[in-house]
Amino acid sequence: MAEGAVVEGLKLEQRHGKERVRVGRVWRDVDGTHHFVEWNVSIRLLSDCIPAYVTGDNSNIVATDTMKNTVYVKAKECSERIPVEVFAIKLANHFSTFYHPVTTAIVNIAEKQWERVSVDGQSHKHGFKLGSEEHTTEVVVKKCGALQVASGIGKLKLLKTTQSGFEGFIRDKYTMLPDTQERLLGTEVTASWRYAFDSLENIPVQPLYFFNSYTGVKKVLVDTFFGTPKMGVYSPSVQYTLYEMAKAVLGRFHDLSSVDLKMPNIHFLPVNLSSKDNPVIVKFEDDVYLPTDEPHGAIEASLSRIRSKM
């Protein structure tokens, strides 16, 4: 997506914005409980500023420093706790409506997962620890009010020590990997899902809508990956498990139109050690591994609902 024009017989596509605007926000309840978020904001504007590139006329440019300052102003204006998706919508709507030359605003935000700590079995009112994964969102708002909202999870590390295999794949003279029905499966999930509503007027009004969607989708992804606590669920390939996870999300959340998953196969290599004098120093028995993420398998797919044209 880009704002474009034909200039001197050439096609020029352009956008500009501000990257890595970091902001922390604290909200305080009347009982003394604090809530904290840390957001990393990226902004892209599509606008009618071709003259800036062609003639040096900057009169239609929104300065990127102004974009940075706007993030902090809008964070200050949010007097009540809001999910990251709502903040991204507020920002994108501001840029697309406040500035006449801007036709479309694209806002991406990654939220670090600061989790409330417990001390002596009680939730601390103002103490937090940093979790590993990120909560992400991408919002696109056009001047006409058209809206696209996607949420996601990044850096979600999952691993199970059994109930995974890989066999029956193509074999040729370069293939060294043996078939197996027993292996360790580790991955770092990057997931995104797109909401079905397509305008500012259709945003759900429930205060906890985006909070509940995020926690709910994350639970479905994790539960589908692992299976039941005692028995688990067998994975014949990362591809199969990825599809089952995406299908489970669309089956559970009917207000989502698509799910995109990236699940690299983070390898844990069997360790067998031998020497000239000792042929069996370590014999692998599904117990000792060499963790490595270079190189690793790259598996990704998108699953979308097919909308009827009738």
Side-chain angles (χ1 to χ4, degrees):
M1 182 189 301
E3 195 77 5
V6 176
V7 180
E8 299 175 345
L10 303 172
K11 185 177 181 181
L12 172 62
E13 294 184 339
Q14 55 80 31
R15 65 172 77 177
H16 77 290
K18 198 73 166 180
E19 291 268 0
R20 299 180 64 83
V21 183
R22 297 179 61 181
V23 57
R25 182 62 160 99
V26 175
W27 291 281
R28 296 170 175 82
D29 293 343
V30 293
D31 67 352
T33 300
H34 292 193
H35 304 275
F36 178 72
V37 294
E38 181 182 346
W39 293 327
N40 193 327
V41 182
S42 295
I43 302 160
R44 289 290 181 272
L45 302 184
L46 279 64
S47 60
D48 183 16
C49 63
I50 296 296
Y53 293 84
V54 179
T55 67
D57 178 1
N58 298 331
S59 58
N60 277 350
I61 285 185
V62 181
T64 65
D65 187 68
T66 302
M67 299 181 203
K68 177 203 67 177
N69 295 339
T70 302
V71 172
Y72 298 112
V73 171
K74 294 302 177 183
K76 177 67 174 180
E77 290 178 357
C78 295
S79 58
E80 295 184 355
R81 183 185 175 210
I82 60 170
V84 65
E85 291 88 352
V86 172
F87 186 66
I89 291 169
K90 288 180 179 293
L91 278 177
N93 187 48
H94 168 81
F95 287 116
S96 63
T97 58
F98 188 78
Y99 298 101
H100 178 73
V102 175
T103 59
T104 303
I106 306 165
V107 175
N108 290 85
I109 305 179
E111 177 182 319
K112 290 188 176 182
Q113 293 299 284
W114 286 100
E115 302 166 352
R116 191 175 304 279
V117 299
S118 293
V119 177
D120 295 332
Q122 295 185 357
S123 294
H124 202 283
K125 287 197 171 185
H126 56 263
F128 301 86
K129 63 182 179 67
L130 183 59
S132 59
E133 68 266 15
E134 290 182 336
H135 178 178
T136 62
T137 189
E138 179 180 81
V139 171
V140 180
V141 177
K142 297 185 177 181
K143 193 175 290 294
C144 64
L147 172 71
Q148 294 179 7
V149 179
S151 297
I153 298 172
K155 302 179 181 179
L156 178 62
K157 296 178 174 66
L158 304 178
L159 180 145
K160 59 182 184 179
T161 55
T162 188
Q163 286 284 56
S164 173
F166 189 55
E167 56 186 335
F169 47 88
I170 294 173
R171 308 195 70 87
D172 58 36
K173 62 182 179 179
Y174 304 120
T175 304
M176 298 176 60
L177 186 70
D179 285 359
T180 182
Q181 294 182 346
E182 177 61 41
R183 68 173 181 172
L184 187 153
L185 176 57
T187 188
E188 182 176 297
V189 179
T190 301
S192 65
W193 51 93
R194 188 170 300 280
Y195 294 90
F197 50 82
D198 57 4
S199 69
L200 292 167
E201 292 76 17
N202 293 332
I203 298 174
V205 296
Q206 302 98 306
L208 300 179
Y209 175 78
F210 288 110
F211 286 122
N212 291 338
S213 293
Y214 174 79
T215 56
V217 171
K218 178 182 173 182
K219 184 177 188 305
V220 169
L221 291 172
V222 171
D223 290 355
T224 307
F225 179 88
F226 289 113
T228 59
K230 290 187 177 180
M231 298 300 297
V233 60
Y234 183 70
S235 170
S237 67
V238 179
Q239 287 87 341
Y240 179 88
T241 298
L242 181 153
Y243 175 73
E244 289 296 304
M245 292 164 67
K247 185 174 66 173
V249 168
L250 291 184
R252 170 66 177 81
F253 297 93
H254 301 289
D255 52 348
L256 303 183
S257 60
S258 64
V259 179
D260 184 274
L261 285 174
K262 297 179 181 179
M263 291 175 53
N265 189 3
I266 307 300
H267 299 303
F268 288 78
L269 305 179
V271 173
N272 287 290
L273 296 180
S274 62
S275 70
K276 182 179 179 180
D277 299 325
N278 187 351
V280 184
I281 299 175
V282 173
K283 180 182 179 181
F284 179 70
E285 296 175 320
D286 297 310
D287 52 0
V288 180
Y289 300 83
L290 170 62
T292 178
D293 57 3
E294 296 180 357
H296 62 247
I299 296 94
E300 56 187 88
S302 298
L303 195 63
S304 304
R305 301 188 195 278
I306 300 175
R307 301 295 183 183
S308 174
K309 296 182 180 180
M310 297 180 62

